[in-house]
């Protein structure tokens, strides 16, 4: 049975060699996988850092543009408020000027009416000055007759009335 022992030994050696080969290959595969994992971790870390930097830059840019937009809006708002105030002043000034013009026109109209009344009164006085004077003299004479003690005062009154009537 010596042949059987030799076959068994040969098979045993072959299995041992295969076992060692498999172990070597498994170790190489594990090493390769381990180094690949390490490289992937490094790449992920680098990507994370790059992404964080990009996000920070984007945030800064957004903050800056928002601040610029706010400033522009504030400036535009202030300008608009100034313009509104200016327009309100102009409108108020125009209203005041219009009111003054209306008041002047009303005053001129009133003065014109007074002037027309004066002219009409003068024309009426010119047409009938004698009648008024005669009536006033008669009234004065009656007053003189009623108060004989005050003749001097009455005469002065008559003269005044006569003067006034003559002036008109």
């Amino acid at each position: 049975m010596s042949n059987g022992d030799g076959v068994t030994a040969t098979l045993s050696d072959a299995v041992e060699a295969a076992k060692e080969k498999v172990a070597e290959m498994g170790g190489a595969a594990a090493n390769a996988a381990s180094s690949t994992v390490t490289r992937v971790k490094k790449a992920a870390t680098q990507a994370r850092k790059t992404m964080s930097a990009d996000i920070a830059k984007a945030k800064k840019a957004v903050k800056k543009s928002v601040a610029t937009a706010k400033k522009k809006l504030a400036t535009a708002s202030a300008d608009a408020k100034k313009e509104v105030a200016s327009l309100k002043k102009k409108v108020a000034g125009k209203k005041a000027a219009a009111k003054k013009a209306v008041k002047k026109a009303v005053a001129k109209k009133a003065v014109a009416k007074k002037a027309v009344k004066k002219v009409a009164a003068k024309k009426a006085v010119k047409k009938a000055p004698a009648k008024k004077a005669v009536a006033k003299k008669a009234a004065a004479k009656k007053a003189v007759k009623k108060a004989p003690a005050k003749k001097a005062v009455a005469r002065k009154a008559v003269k005044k009335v006569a003067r006034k009537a003559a002036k008109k």
Side-chain angles (χ1 to χ4, degrees):
M1 287 233 198
S2 70
N3 257 349
D5 286 332
V7 172
T8 305
T10 305
L11 282 173
S12 251
D13 288 339
V15 170
E16 275 299 315
K19 187 179 171 185
E20 285 178 19
K21 265 293 191 202
V22 169
E24 283 177 25
M25 287 177 83
N31 285 339
S34 177
S35 74
T36 302
V37 167
T38 304
R39 275 188 263 137
V40 168
K41 281 184 180 179
K42 279 185 181 179
T45 304
Q46 187 63 32
R48 214 178 277 135
K49 285 181 183 177
T50 304
M51 196 168 54
S52 294
D54 289 346
I55 288 172
K57 284 180 187 177
K59 281 183 180 179
K60 275 187 180 179
V62 167
K63 282 183 183 179
K64 193 172 188 179
S65 63
V66 167
T68 304
K70 281 184 179 179
K71 283 181 184 177
K72 286 181 181 178
L73 285 173
T75 303
S77 174
D79 290 345
K81 285 178 183 177
K82 285 179 186 175
E83 191 171 342
V84 166
S86 171
L87 291 173
K88 280 184 179 180
K89 283 182 183 178
K90 284 182 183 178
V91 169
K94 286 181 181 179
K95 282 184 180 178
K99 283 183 180 179
K100 282 183 182 179
V102 168
K103 284 182 181 178
K104 279 186 180 180
V106 169
K108 283 183 181 179
K109 191 173 182 181
V111 169
K113 280 185 178 180
K114 284 183 181 178
V116 168
K117 283 182 181 178
K118 276 188 179 181
V119 169
K122 283 183 181 179
K123 284 183 180 177
V125 169
K126 282 182 182 178
K127 285 181 182 177
K131 289 180 185 177
K132 285 184 179 179
V134 170
K136 286 182 180 179
K137 283 182 183 178
K141 283 182 181 178
K142 283 182 183 178
V144 170
K145 286 180 184 177
K146 286 183 181 178
K150 297 181 181 178
K151 280 187 178 180
V153 175
R155 284 184 188 156
K156 285 183 182 179
V158 169
K159 286 180 183 178
K160 275 187 180 178
V161 169
R163 277 190 223 141
K164 284 184 181 178
K167 282 184 181 177
K168 287 184 180 179

